Amino acid sequence: MPRKPSPDARERILDVATRLFTAHGVHAVGMQQVIDEFGCGKNLLYREFAGKDDLVVAYLTRCRDTWACMYEQAGVGREDDPAGHLVALVELTAAKVLEPDYRGCGIHNTHAEFPDPAHPAHKVAAEHFATMRERLLDLATRAGARDPETLTDRILLIIEGIYTNGLAQGRNGAARAAGAFAEEVVRSALADRSA
Amino acid sequence: MPRKPSPDARERILDVATRLFTAHGVHAVGMQQVIDEFGCGKNLLYREFAGKDDLVVAYLTRCRDTWACMYEQAGVGREDDPAGHLVALVELTAAKVLEPDYRGCGIHNTHAEFPDPAHPAHKVAAEHFATMRERLLDLATRAGARDPETLTDRILLIIEGIYTNGLAQGRNGAARAAGAFAEEVVRSALADRSA
DNA sequence: CCGGTCCGGGACCGATCGGTCCGAATCCTT
DNA sequence: AAGGATTCGGACCGATCGGTCCCGGACCGG
């Protein structure tokens, strides 16, 4: 047993792929480009990933985990404040727009790039959207909104508006208004209880 | 002068291209596909359009005009009610999600497909976003909002949220909440005047 | 030191891309 | 009817796509 395959190759390739896919879009990036950028042989990449579709799915999975991490982060210290968690999540999303090289949500971008519902990438993205909605709905419910569905819809509109508008208009776009907006929306949804 | 080139060829080709680009995304549609679907020779298409980029730009221009038409339509009968115009615009946008084969906003989708700011398609899209914002800002100002910029930002978030979320979750998504949401937002922005 | 494993790099494949060009059929105008 | 412009439809081009295969060198364990 003379030699061991490097165990983190998959992750390191995925790092490169994530950067390229995010920056240029999935369609615009060729496998050769990923390989060149990473500096490995084609051998290694095709051993770690069955094909481009597989690589894209892995990319989306990572994006999903990143979002889950963000969700988690927004909840830290707010375990008993689901309303604050909601607002913090919106603020975190809005803050991402300010990052240099902001390129929107990789999942949404990729979802738009693969309209075919049968494509694996499309399915992964669709799943993510569903769970995203569930988690927001859970927060809205626990926050005690009179109509959690509507609050969820509104927060979703704001969050996805941030993604899209941030991509379209950059740091001078609508994202700056999102935090206060979300706060007001949540407050209003809670106040409705007494109505 | 034996024969005249058919004058509406460009428009008819653009019809086909619009349908295909909208349904499958720009990158996924080949020129050959446009030609086959239209049933003409390659000659004709390349006489009417300098190349794929040119065709894409024409497609985006048409999308832009469609949006302008929608903006116009929402304002009919509301010439003296800019606030109602804003709400109607959001409602119109939300209604589009319910259409079968809804595929989001072609301009946003294409914008995401061409991240390179130097690409003509990207520029056309960016221009559109700017004028879109201007027009909303004009309405918000004329509506008498205390802070028209913020109202514009909020309406923009809602509209672009509709596009994105409608694409992600279809007719059962957040778009259903958009109309009432916009109305509330506008009302609140106007009420702020007395605050 | 040696044998085996792994990996970088590239040749190669078929398919498809955008785009050019041309022959033949078509149809209008005179 | 004749002539000429227009259009169809496909051959063709170079480039690039995703993907397979293989060689030679680097590296490690016995």
Side-chain angles (χ1 to χ4, degrees):
Chain A
M1 191 179 320
R3 208 176 161 189
K4 53 185 173 184
S6 83
D8 59 340
R10 186 182 170 94
E11 284 306 308
R12 280 164 41 234
I13 292 174
L14 199 45
D15 288 340
V16 174
T18 297
R19 181 162 44 83
L20 291 176
F21 286 162
T22 302
H24 310 295
V26 173
H27 279 310
V29 175
M31 295 297 265
Q32 189 59 54
Q33 196 174 345
V34 176
I35 288 161
D36 290 345
E37 199 93 1
F38 181 60
C40 70
K42 293 194 139 192
N43 244 336
L44 184 55
L45 187 143
Y46 279 101
R47 180 165 57 76
E48 295 296 331
F49 300 94
K52 187 170 188 180
D53 285 356
D54 194 35
L55 184 58
V56 173
V57 167
Y59 160 63
L60 288 183
T61 304
R62 172 172 286 196
C63 287
R64 163 158 57 74
D65 294 344
T66 301
W67 189 87
C69 172
M70 205 168 76
Y71 174 92
E72 205 78 30
Q73 188 184 337
V76 170
R78 297 185 180 84
E79 287 74 12
D80 298 323
D81 177 19
H85 192 162
L86 272 180
V87 174
L89 189 52
V90 171
E91 280 170 350
L92 246 178
T93 307
K96 290 193 71 172
V97 174
L98 299 181
E99 289 174 7
D101 307 325
Y102 174 76
R103 272 284 305 147
C105 169
I107 304 188
H108 278 100
N109 290 344
T110 307
H111 182 259
E113 271 194 285
F114 295 88
D116 178 8
H119 194 285
H122 191 96
K123 292 192 219 170
V124 172
E127 267 176 43
H128 167 72
F129 298 141
T131 69
M132 191 167 155
R133 184 166 218 291
E134 278 172 26
R135 297 187 119 185
L136 292 184
L137 183 57
D138 174 59
L139 285 183
T141 305
R142 279 173 28 223
R146 199 185 52 162
D147 186 349
E149 293 276 353
T150 296
L151 178 55
T152 301
D153 285 341
R154 294 186 175 193
I155 296 294
L156 257 178
L157 283 179
I158 296 177
I159 289 181
E160 310 205 316
I162 293 171
Y163 281 135
T164 304
N165 184 80
L167 192 51
Q169 308 197 331
R171 67 193 66 233
N172 294 323
R176 58 190 167 199
F181 192 16
E183 197 188 325
E184 206 170 297
V185 165
V186 169
R187 182 155 22 95
S188 149
L190 300 193
D192 267 358
R193 291 176 81 190
S194 56
Chain B
M1 196 177 315
R3 206 178 164 189
K4 54 186 174 185
S6 80
D8 59 339
R10 185 183 171 93
E11 285 305 308
R12 280 164 41 233
I13 293 175
L14 200 45
D15 288 341
V16 175
T18 297
R19 181 163 43 83
L20 291 176
F21 286 161
T22 303
H24 309 295
V26 173
H27 279 311
V29 175
M31 294 298 263
Q32 189 59 54
Q33 197 175 345
V34 176
I35 289 162
D36 290 345
E37 199 93 1
F38 181 59
C40 69
K42 294 194 137 193
N43 247 335
L44 184 55
L45 188 143
Y46 280 101
R47 181 164 58 73
E48 296 296 332
F49 299 93
K52 187 171 188 180
D53 285 356
D54 195 34
L55 184 59
V56 173
V57 166
Y59 160 64
L60 288 183
T61 304
R62 172 172 285 196
C63 287
R64 163 158 55 77
D65 295 345
T66 301
W67 188 86
C69 173
M70 204 169 75
Y71 174 92
E72 205 80 29
Q73 188 185 339
V76 169
R78 296 186 180 86
E79 287 75 11
D80 296 324
D81 177 19
H85 191 162
L86 272 180
V87 174
L89 189 52
V90 171
E91 281 170 350
L92 247 177
T93 307
K96 290 195 72 173
V97 174
L98 300 181
E99 290 175 7
D101 306 326
Y102 174 76
R103 271 285 303 148
C105 170
I107 305 189
H108 279 101
N109 290 345
T110 308
H111 182 259
E113 271 194 287
F114 294 90
D116 178 7
H119 193 285
H122 191 94
K123 292 193 219 171
V124 173
E127 266 176 43
H128 167 72
F129 297 142
T131 70
M132 192 169 156
R133 183 166 219 291
E134 278 171 25
R135 295 187 127 189
L136 293 183
L137 183 57
D138 174 59
L139 284 183
T141 306
R142 279 171 30 222
R146 199 184 54 161
D147 186 348
E149 293 276 352
T150 295
L151 178 55
T152 301
D153 285 341
R154 293 186 174 193
I155 295 294
L156 257 178
L157 283 179
I158 296 176
I159 289 181
E160 311 206 314
I162 293 171
Y163 281 135
T164 304
N165 183 80
L167 191 53
Q169 308 197 330
R171 66 193 66 235
N172 294 324
R176 59 192 167 198
F181 192 17
E183 198 188 325
E184 205 170 300
V185 164
V186 169
R187 184 160 16 97
S188 149
L190 300 192
D192 268 356
R193 289 177 83 191
S194 56

